[in-house]
Amino acid sequence: MRQILSFWAKLILLIGGVIAVILLINVSIVRSRRSLVQVELESVSEYQIRGQFQSLAFLSVIWDNLVQATGGEVVDFSNRSEKILKDYESDVVESLQLAPEGKIQYVYPYSFSDEIGTNIEKDDRLKDIAVRSRYSGLDTVSAPEPLVDGDYRLYFCHPVYRKDRVGKAQFWGYSIVTARVSRLVSGLAIENLSTRSRTVLYRMDVRNGDQILMDDTEDMLKNPVRHYFSVPNGTLVLDGMWEGGWITQNELLFEVLIGVIVVILSALFLMNLRIRKNMRALSRISYTDELTGLYNRHMLRKKFDDLDGVRKQISILFLDFDHFKEINDKEGHDAGDETLKQGSAFFASLFGRECCYRYGGDEFLMLITGMTDEEVREKIAKVNEFRSIRFMDRDISVSVSGGFASAECGTTAELRDLIRVADHNLYYAKEHGRAQIIGGDA
């Protein structure tokens, strides 16, 4: 009797142990999968989706700079808009529009000509974001506008101000970029994520109900991982779940059959290694500076690798804001951030976004290829036109110092030597008066 009880006790303990191990494995798998999905949702949200929004908002700033540079006049709108979109190299943008005094007068392409004459401050679709943008001085994004084909359209609105004859900033109008949501999300490459995930992207709207912008699921997600992130004038939510559920029936059967502690421990060990590997891989995903939207030093290293072994004429321009610490100390860090954002937008409008890198702090590097020395020097001559930023309805004076160097390079070592020459020239410019660009052929 005692042996029978002992047998059943051992059997119960064994069954309990197996169940406990299976439960522990399930908990571990669910946690690890949720962790992987969470990390990738954050990556998609913070780097890809937010990056798309920043890029679209950046396009509206370009026309702001052009309007200010021409004293409030709109010069050669169609051709300049065509070039802007060509340099942008994306089919996400539907149109560029300008609305002096709130009334749309310029559109590109012509297929949007029916928008001409629309007063966006009175239009039901746009009046909320227009008024908010005008009186806050900040970029705004409209709620997704449903279209007849089932898609949505977004309006990116940027207020434009210019100085009058006495130097006072006056409201000029709006720079508007329109984009289709389907095109925006189609470039996210979610299908290439390392985790097998199903995702839903939607905009939170308490009054009118949430608007689903992307859904690659067949059924409703059960207990999804959820990531909230803000965009101008709204909050987006990205839900995700491991494809097939966090634990499938086949996996449960396999776990019951395997029942071997060594294999379970090995699986947990390999799962841990996989998590670490994916975390390291994800840490290298972003090559874009979050604040300015420009490339960062990781992308610069990749560019160096691409240029290694290819001999060509290369120009390096280092730019640095003069007395940037004083801007942060006197005006606040928000003003410092705005200086970097508006400065980067101006640099990108001159040299092209693909040439511009945020090197660190308030220092920027332009790596220019495919231009003649004359073309490069013409663009460099315009850098010091950037003399002020618009912040909180007022202008803050800024100036830029730079170091320039140009040479024919064919190796990474030569590129680094060229950077050192440009950096030395920047140091010389800062030490001898600032607000100037020093340099030439290396």
Side-chain angles (χ1 to χ4, degrees), residues 47 51 54 285-290 292-296 299 353:
Y47 298 119
Q54 289 176 338
I285 285 178
S286 175
Y287 289 102
T288 304
D289 177 61
E290 182 177 0
T292 63
L294 299 183
Y295 291 132
N296 58 23
M299 189 62 177
R353 182 176 178 275

Side-chain angles (χ1 to χ4, degrees), residues 134-304:
R134 176 171 183 171
Y135 292 105
S136 69
L138 301 175
D139 295 338
T140 54
V141 180
S142 71
E145 176 193 2
L147 304 176
V148 294
D149 60 1
D151 201 353
Y152 292 94
R153 176 176 291 132
L154 291 173
Y155 292 83
F156 291 75
C157 184
H158 176 81
V160 180
Y161 297 84
R162 71 180 186 88
K163 291 183 180 179
D164 59 16
R165 294 180 179 177
V166 297
K168 184 178 179 181
Q170 298 289 339
F171 175 73
W172 180 88
Y174 302 96
S175 173
I176 303 169
V177 176
T178 71
R180 284 219 173 195
V181 170
S182 62
R183 297 180 185 175
L184 187 147
V185 300
S186 66
L188 299 181
I190 290 180
E191 68 276 5
N192 295 329
L193 295 180
S194 60
T195 57
R196 299 174 299 167
S197 305
R198 291 296 182 186
T199 53
V200 178
L201 174 68
Y202 57 92
R203 180 182 185 272
M204 293 183 64
D205 191 330
V206 177
R207 290 184 300 176
N208 304 313
D210 297 339
Q211 294 170 298
I212 295 178
L213 307 181
M214 178 191 68
D215 187 352
D216 69 347
T217 66
E218 298 177 357
D219 302 308
M220 291 185 61
L221 299 182
K222 297 179 181 179
N223 192 23
V225 171
R226 183 161 292 162
H227 181 67
Y228 299 85
F229 61 105
S230 62
V231 295
N233 200 35
T235 299
L236 297 184
V237 184
L238 187 61
D239 286 352
M241 188 183 78
W242 192 275
E243 185 176 9
W246 300 113
I247 292 290
T248 66
Q249 292 182 350
N250 289 335
E251 288 171 334
L252 284 172
L253 178 61
F254 177 75
E255 289 170 355
V256 172
L257 294 175
I258 195 170
V260 179
I261 295 177
V262 174
V263 177
I264 293 173
L265 292 175
S266 299
L268 290 173
F269 176 75
L270 293 175
M271 183 69 71
N272 184 57
L273 289 180
R274 183 182 176 192
I275 292 174
R276 293 178 179 273
K277 181 180 179 181
N278 277 275
M279 293 292 288
R280 289 194 297 269
L282 289 170
S283 67
R284 297 191 294 269
I285 285 178
S286 175
Y287 289 102
T288 304
D289 177 61
E290 182 177 0
L291 177 65
T292 63
L294 299 183
Y295 291 132
N296 58 23
R297 292 180 73 164
H298 295 298
M299 189 62 177
L300 183 62
R301 295 189 190 100
K302 184 177 183 300
K303 183 68 174 178
F304 272 31

Side-chain angles (χ1 to χ4, degrees), residues 25-138:
I25 292 175
N26 286 346
V27 169
S28 176
I29 290 176
V30 169
R31 284 183 177 178
S32 64
R33 287 180 174 175
R34 290 182 70 88
S35 175
L36 287 170
V37 172
Q38 180 70 51
V39 170
E40 294 206 320
L41 291 187
E42 292 177 3
S43 173
V44 171
S45 303
E46 300 299 332
Y47 298 119
Q48 296 189 42
I49 299 176
R50 194 190 294 276
Q52 288 274 32
F53 274 67
Q54 289 176 338
S55 296
L56 291 168
F58 163 76
L59 289 179
S60 64
V61 176
I62 293 178
W63 262 114
D64 181 347
N65 289 325
L66 292 174
V67 168
Q68 292 189 47
T70 55
E73 298 295 326
V74 179
V75 180
D76 198 12
F77 178 80
S78 294
N79 288 334
R80 288 194 174 193
S81 295
E82 182 180 6
K83 185 178 185 304
I84 290 171
L85 294 183
K86 183 178 179 181
D87 292 340
Y88 183 63
E89 295 182 348
S90 172
D91 61 353
V92 174
V93 178
E94 272 195 311
S95 71
L96 300 179
Q97 304 178 12
L98 290 179
E101 298 298 330
K103 185 176 290 188
I104 297 176
Q105 296 183 21
Y106 305 93
V107 299
Y108 180 86
Y110 189 72
S111 57
F112 279 77
S113 60
D114 57 342
E115 299 279 348
I116 294 177
T118 300
N119 188 333
I120 68 172
E121 294 182 351
K122 296 181 179 179
D123 187 272
D124 290 338
R125 302 168 302 166
L126 303 173
K127 60 184 180 182
D128 288 342
I129 66 167
V131 172
R132 186 174 302 172
S133 180
R134 176 171 183 171
Y135 292 105
S136 69
L138 301 175

